[in-house]
Amino acid sequence: MKHLGISVNWVHPLPKSSINEQLQSGPFRTLIFNVRDPVDRFISAFNWRSIILCHPNDERHRGKKKIGRGKRTVGGTKRPDEFCKENYEEEEIMLRETYESNPNVLAEALCHDSPLRPRAEQDFGNIHHSTTLTQWLDFLIDSRLVKNITNDGIQKFLVLPVEKRSGANETLFEKHIENLQRHLLKNRYGVDASDKMMQLAQEKKVKKEEEKRRLNKPKRDTHLHSSSKFHNSTKPMLTKLGECCLARYLIDDYRLIQSMLGGEKISNIDLAIAGLDPLDAHPVIQKACTWGNEQHKQECRGDLISMLMRRAKYLDESKGSCSAIVSAE
């Protein structure tokens, strides 16, 4: 965004009360928010922390280190193949010993009928990066906090979904980013100027890529997080029981996603997730996919619907317990 003259306050990996307060009463009035399927987010968080935390007999460099001519500081977040994060012994032991470095063990422990659920709920919250969507957006959901939002506070809520739809080779995230840049520039400078700026930015990007190819430098995915670059695809996935129990534990996140779709009818999903009521939230939540051109609006909504459809059979609690649903399959 910076190369286009757009300044954005980046908040990661935990919410900041100071930012939320400025969204409640100003001067911040626009919130750009990434939305990923809640179950996928948990698996990613669990596996990522398992990768980057130092474990006993770890041969990687512990902590951070300054490297290169510019003395750039790197650590486990950027280079988990060479560095690990220290001083997280309790979390690392919990992931490795209690849950066997397997997200499914924790997911199944979250089943309603599991005697391990109370401990599992506590451990879920102790995993860094596991903050739920409803926790991130509590100031737009909790009625005690919503009442503090003034006319000078948040007016726009722009969602960037990260979802690989069934049959797709990749997500539309890069396209959503481009649409966001165009949308913000259009609002600030008008259509003609924004188109020219986007064109110049694209030409500059092409020149950089050509220069990298000339120097045999590897292509860098601008928006790819380290957890994706160093993700081990052989990591254990969820069983059907684990998926069901985790989806139900995170059901308020899915209800929030449904709230983002607004009050419009969704013909192919109404029956699929009967019983999943939208979460009561500030009206701005319904503006999640109402920005950009019509194609973008449909693609944004389509990504959110895809998240709901993938977990639909487990989110309808009227169908019985997860054990009963899985046994009947």
Side-chain angles (χ1 to χ4, degrees), residues 215-240:
L215 298 174
N216 293 320
K217 289 185 177 181
K219 183 179 178 181
R220 177 174 174 262
D221 192 327
T222 308
H223 306 295
L224 187 64
H225 188 271
S226 300
S227 60
S228 297
K229 289 185 284 187
F230 295 96
H231 175 67
N232 183 351
S233 61
T234 62
K235 283 281 186 180
M237 300 302 287
L238 301 182
T239 62
K240 291 181 179 180

Side-chain angles (χ1 to χ4, degrees), residues 190-246:
V191 177
D192 293 340
S194 65
D195 288 345
K196 183 64 175 177
M197 293 175 75
M198 289 294 292
Q199 180 181 347
L200 292 174
Q202 180 61 29
E203 291 173 356
K204 186 176 181 180
K205 179 181 178 182
V206 170
K207 288 182 178 179
K208 277 190 174 182
E209 291 176 353
E210 290 176 348
E211 180 66 12
K212 285 183 178 180
R213 282 196 294 270
R214 188 180 69 81
L215 298 174
N216 293 320
K217 289 185 177 181
K219 183 179 178 181
R220 177 174 174 262
D221 192 327
T222 308
H223 306 295
L224 187 64
H225 188 271
S226 300
S227 60
S228 297
K229 289 185 284 187
F230 295 96
H231 175 67
N232 183 351
S233 61
T234 62
K235 283 281 186 180
M237 300 302 287
L238 301 182
T239 62
K240 291 181 179 180
L241 179 62
E243 180 186 354
C244 180
C245 292
L246 182 57

Side-chain angles (χ1 to χ4, degrees), residues 239-270:
T239 62
K240 291 181 179 180
L241 179 62
E243 180 186 354
C244 180
C245 292
L246 182 57
R248 289 196 174 182
Y249 179 72
L250 296 169
I251 195 167
D252 279 349
D253 276 10
Y254 289 101
R255 292 178 61 203
L256 180 58
I257 291 173
Q258 191 167 1
S259 298
M260 294 177 187
L261 292 167
E264 299 179 29
K265 286 289 184 180
I266 313 164
S267 59
N268 66 334
I269 198 173
D270 286 339

Side-chain angles (χ1 to χ4, degrees), residues 19-288:
I19 296 293
N20 290 352
E21 289 170 1
Q22 293 179 79
L23 283 166
Q24 288 176 307
S25 57
F28 296 163
R29 309 189 78 181
T30 299
L31 175 60
I32 302 167
F33 192 75
N34 292 125
V35 175
R36 187 179 181 186
D37 173 77
V39 167
D40 287 347
R41 289 181 73 250
F42 164 78
I43 297 174
S44 176
F46 187 105
N47 287 336
W48 179 232
R49 296 300 287 182
S50 296
I51 290 172
I52 67 172
L53 298 186
C54 298
H55 55 76
N57 304 318
D58 205 319
E59 296 182 355
R60 295 175 294 177
H61 179 85
R62 293 176 177 268
K64 298 180 179 181
K65 182 180 180 181
K66 291 185 180 295
I67 63 172
R69 293 180 180 179
K71 294 299 179 181
R72 181 168 56 96
T73 301
V74 298
T77 301
K78 293 291 185 181
R79 302 270 287 273
D81 54 334
E82 300 177 28
F83 298 82
C84 63
K85 295 178 73 72
E86 56 183 349
N87 301 323
Y88 291 93
E89 288 82 3
E90 290 186 9
E91 183 184 358
E92 191 279 327
I93 291 173
M94 179 260 289
L95 293 171
R96 177 171 49 84
E97 295 187 358
T98 305
Y99 298 106
E100 305 168 17
S101 300
N102 185 341
N104 188 69
V105 178
L106 177 52
E108 291 190 0
L110 289 169
C111 293
H112 282 294
D113 54 357
S114 170
L116 302 175
R117 183 179 170 98
R119 167 70 184 276
E121 289 181 322
Q122 181 179 355
D123 289 339
F124 183 101
N126 289 330
I127 299 175
H128 287 241
H129 283 65
S130 67
T131 308
T132 64
L133 295 180
T134 50
Q135 289 173 328
W136 270 102
L137 298 175
D138 64 344
F139 72 102
L140 294 175
I141 301 169
D142 189 329
S143 59
R144 296 168 299 179
L145 301 176
V146 170
K147 68 180 182 181
N148 294 327
I149 298 177
T150 70
N151 292 334
D152 295 322
I154 185 169
Q155 299 292 322
K156 297 179 181 180
F157 179 63
L158 315 180
V159 154
L160 298 174
V162 184
E163 169 74 352
K164 184 183 289 186
R165 301 191 202 180
S166 177
N169 294 323
E170 58 186 17
T171 74
L172 295 174
F173 188 65
E174 294 284 342
K175 189 174 182 181
H176 292 326
I177 289 288
E178 183 177 333
N179 285 329
L180 173 65
Q181 293 173 339
R182 191 179 301 277
H183 175 74
L184 296 177
L185 289 173
K186 178 181 176 181
N187 286 347
R188 179 177 295 185
Y189 302 110
V191 177
D192 293 340
S194 65
D195 288 345
K196 183 64 175 177
M197 293 175 75
M198 289 294 292
Q199 180 181 347
L200 292 174
Q202 180 61 29
E203 291 173 356
K204 186 176 181 180
K205 179 181 178 182
V206 170
K207 288 182 178 179
K208 277 190 174 182
E209 291 176 353
E210 290 176 348
E211 180 66 12
K212 285 183 178 180
R213 282 196 294 270
R214 188 180 69 81
L215 298 174
N216 293 320
K217 289 185 177 181
K219 183 179 178 181
R220 177 174 174 262
D221 192 327
T222 308
H223 306 295
L224 187 64
H225 188 271
S226 300
S227 60
S228 297
K229 289 185 284 187
F230 295 96
H231 175 67
N232 183 351
S233 61
T234 62
K235 283 281 186 180
M237 300 302 287
L238 301 182
T239 62
K240 291 181 179 180
L241 179 62
E243 180 186 354
C244 180
C245 292
L246 182 57
R248 289 196 174 182
Y249 179 72
L250 296 169
I251 195 167
D252 279 349
D253 276 10
Y254 289 101
R255 292 178 61 203
L256 180 58
I257 291 173
Q258 191 167 1
S259 298
M260 294 177 187
L261 292 167
E264 299 179 29
K265 286 289 184 180
I266 313 164
S267 59
N268 66 334
I269 198 173
D270 286 339
L271 294 178
I273 52 173
L276 184 63
D277 298 322
L279 201 64
D280 288 335
H282 189 279
V284 76
I285 286 289
Q286 297 184 20
K287 296 182 179 181

Side-chain angles (χ1 to χ4, degrees), residues 267-329:
S267 59
N268 66 334
I269 198 173
D270 286 339
L271 294 178
I273 52 173
L276 184 63
D277 298 322
L279 201 64
D280 288 335
H282 189 279
V284 76
I285 286 289
Q286 297 184 20
K287 296 182 179 181
C289 292
T290 61
W291 57 278
N293 59 32
E294 285 303 315
Q295 180 180 353
H296 167 73
K297 292 175 184 178
Q298 293 303 315
E299 289 174 342
C300 178
R301 289 174 57 81
D303 280 352
L304 297 183
I305 291 173
S306 174
M307 296 177 195
L308 296 176
M309 290 295 290
R310 285 202 287 135
R311 315 297 178 188
K313 61 182 178 181
Y314 299 135
L315 294 173
D316 186 355
E317 295 182 318
S318 68
K319 293 183 178 180
S321 68
C322 285
S323 297
I325 292 175
V326 172
S327 298
E329 290 185 349

